[in-house]
Amino acid sequence: MSNYFKHKMRGKSPGEIIGMILFGALFITGLAILFGFVIMWLWNWLMPMIFGLTTLTFWESVGIFILLKILLGGCGGFGGKDKKRSKSSKCDHNAKGEFSKWKHYDDFWKEEGNQAYEAYINRKTSKEESNEQHNS
């Protein structure tokens, strides 16, 4: 990860780096405020009318958002990639590795794909024709 960071920050002045950090912090803060207000608005619009629940304040809605993120956050969570993962996790941690095989797809298709596809179609049609002849 440190090599990735060094690569991305190559050629950037300290002022640009500080600006990026400040922009990121302001953006995350803005999203947190926005999510808090959206959850509060939706809750206060729907829940009292449908279920007879009380209305929420902004901070209560932020707390519900954090609780839902913890409970339903999925695989991403807040942890880093270097942390050991428990074997009881239901997430497929090798999914990215499996998907990375597709990076060779374009090269394969340019080199062998069309011929391999035609050979496959010929095999399938010849099997279907031979099955039809045996069944008649």
Side-chain angles (χ1 to χ4, degrees):
M1 187 67 174
S2 63
N3 290 337
Y4 176 78
F5 182 74
K6 287 177 186 176
H7 172 73
K8 286 295 186 185
M9 294 301 134
R10 185 180 307 138
K12 303 230 185 290
S13 69
E16 287 176 313
I17 294 172
I18 291 172
M20 289 170 35
I21 291 171
L22 287 176
F23 176 75
L26 286 173
F27 183 75
I28 290 171
T29 303
L31 277 180
I33 291 169
L34 178 69
F35 279 129
F37 276 114
V38 167
I39 291 170
M40 182 180 72
W41 175 73
L42 285 171
W43 181 283
N44 291 341
W45 177 49
L46 295 172
M47 294 301 181
M49 188 180 356
I50 296 173
F51 299 111
L53 299 173
T54 61
T55 60
L56 294 180
T57 65
F58 172 76
W59 292 110
E60 289 170 335
S61 63
V62 169
I64 285 178
F65 174 70
I66 292 170
L67 179 65
L68 288 174
K69 179 65 180 163
I70 291 169
L71 295 177
L72 306 174
C75 300
F78 297 105
K81 291 182 180 179
D82 297 331
K83 291 186 177 182
K84 287 189 175 183
R85 297 180 172 140
S86 67
K87 292 184 179 181
S88 64
S89 175
K90 295 181 182 178
C91 300
D92 185 10
H93 300 296
N94 294 324
K96 183 177 180 185
E98 293 298 319
F99 187 73
S100 68
K101 293 178 184 176
W102 282 92
K103 67 183 177 182
H104 304 292
Y105 175 78
D106 289 332
D107 294 334
F108 168 78
W109 191 255
K110 288 176 187 172
E111 294 172 10
E112 302 176 23
N114 202 25
Q115 294 90 6
Y117 178 72
E118 293 295 328
Y120 174 75
I121 293 297
N122 290 335
R123 283 194 316 265
K124 292 297 277 186
T125 55
S126 65
K127 284 182 185 178
E128 289 173 2
E129 289 173 0
S130 66
N131 286 338
E132 288 175 5
Q133 290 174 357
H134 290 296
N135 292 336
S136 303

